[in-house]
Amino acid sequence: MSATNRGAQRHESDFYITPPWVLERFLEVPDLGFSGNRWLEPCAGDGAIIRATNSVRSGIVWSACELREAERAGLEPLAPGGLRIGDFREQTFDTLFDLSLSNPPFSIAMDIIQQSRRVANHTAMLLRLDFW
């Protein structure tokens, strides 16, 4: 998909799977500036970010949130910290996560960032370069 959506077909719910190599490069950074193993994926989709991260880093206890009920069966085994089906922007949590990591739908990215900053010590979002 082009950065400006020229000539690309739009996917329902802005659902674009994160390629594993993106997370592999991100996690290669020696000191990302955060610690802890309680991570949250607020827009989990099919679990691509969780699977890619788990392939290069161990010991993470994932929690996840996803709008689409159809993803429940695939996400439940990936999120031992808990899975919520529903809009992340409307969720409340009893715990503070160490990191919120996601590739949010571009159309609601700022809302996801703001909510992530409320529920996690650190927030990392995979977005197009022209997001800001």
Side-chain angles (χ1 to χ4, degrees):
M1 176 178 192
S2 74
T4 58
N5 206 22
R6 289 184 304 265
Q9 184 176 3
R10 190 137 190 97
H11 292 260
E12 182 180 348
S13 301
D14 273 348
F15 178 58
Y16 301 95
I17 296 173
T18 304
W21 68 266
V22 172
L23 268 296
E24 292 165 6
R25 297 298 83 76
F26 173 74
L27 293 169
E28 284 175 356
V29 176
D31 181 12
L32 292 172
F34 56 84
S35 61
N37 68 343
R38 293 175 323 174
W39 290 19
L40 170 68
E41 214 304 17
C43 305
D46 68 351
I49 285 178
I50 297 171
R51 285 191 309 278
T53 302
N54 287 347
S55 74
V56 295
R57 186 173 284 201
S58 61
I60 298 170
V61 178
W62 283 100
S63 294
C65 191
E66 170 55 34
L67 276 173
R68 296 169 302 131
E69 175 68 36
E71 300 295 346
R72 180 185 295 275
L75 287 172
E76 282 180 337
L78 298 176
L83 171 65
R84 295 182 184 197
I85 301 297
D87 191 331
F88 171 68
R89 298 170 296 175
E90 299 170 359
Q91 302 293 319
T92 58
F93 297 89
D94 295 332
T95 186
L96 188 63
F97 297 97
D98 298 308
L99 174 68
S100 177
L101 173 63
S102 192
N103 176 7
F106 191 77
S107 61
I108 59 170
M110 186 53 76
D111 293 340
I112 300 300
I113 292 168
Q114 290 170 340
Q115 175 70 343
S116 289
R117 293 185 68 200
R118 286 190 279 276
V119 302
N121 289 323
H122 301 279
T123 297
M125 298 289 142
L126 305 172
L127 293 162
R128 301 185 324 214
L129 288 175
D130 66 348
F131 173 74
W132 295 112

